[in-house]
Amino acid sequence: MKKLIRFAIAGGIGFLVDAGVLSALLDLTPLGPFGARLIAIALAMAATWAFNRNFTFDRSGRSLADEGFRYGSVGVTAALVNYGLYSALLLSLPGLQPLAAMVVASVAAMVFSFFGYSRFVFRA
């Protein structure tokens, strides 16, 4: 249960980074919701890796490179789920705000990523 709570905190940090970067890029650049979201997801993934590695899960005992590759593999897969659902929502519901689509997509990806990180990345 302790890991799940810490994972939720990491997810909250990632969500804030994702939402903050997405909002800033939408307001300050001509990227648009699809390009801006790619950058936001990448930065959120880096933030959650740092938190999860140091506070949520025990270190795996693998090299930093191996652990990083495994985290990246799960993270990229979760990001594809996240981005795919985000894009599908925006394309199918044109009036939907990008941040609302981000919330729905992020929750779906969170479930996938918890199991991937806890079973594949940080398990000894």
Side-chain angles (χ1 to χ4, degrees):
M1 186 63 167
K2 186 174 165 182
K3 285 183 183 182
L4 187 57
I5 292 169
R6 288 183 180 179
F7 184 78
I9 293 169
I13 291 167
F15 179 83
L16 291 175
V17 170
D18 194 352
V21 171
L22 178 62
S23 293
L25 291 174
L26 289 173
D27 288 344
L28 303 172
T29 72
L31 285 175
F34 298 104
R37 187 72 202 287
L38 290 174
I39 295 168
I41 286 174
L43 293 175
M45 189 185 311
T48 60
W49 178 58
F51 189 91
N52 280 326
R53 184 168 204 276
N54 292 302
F55 299 107
T56 304
F57 301 105
D58 295 328
R59 292 183 183 216
S60 65
R62 294 180 183 85
S63 71
L64 185 61
D66 186 34
E67 186 179 284
F69 175 77
R70 286 172 174 255
Y71 193 92
S73 297
V74 172
V76 166
T77 305
L80 289 172
V81 168
N82 192 328
Y83 190 78
L85 184 53
Y86 169 82
S87 298
L89 287 168
L90 287 181
L91 292 171
S92 64
L93 302 168
L96 186 65
Q97 292 294 316
L99 288 176
M102 188 202 85
V103 169
V104 173
S106 295
V107 169
M110 183 181 78
V111 173
F112 172 84
S113 61
F114 177 77
F115 288 105
Y117 294 144
S118 65
R119 304 280 190 263
F120 181 66
V121 178
F122 294 106
R123 179 176 262 174

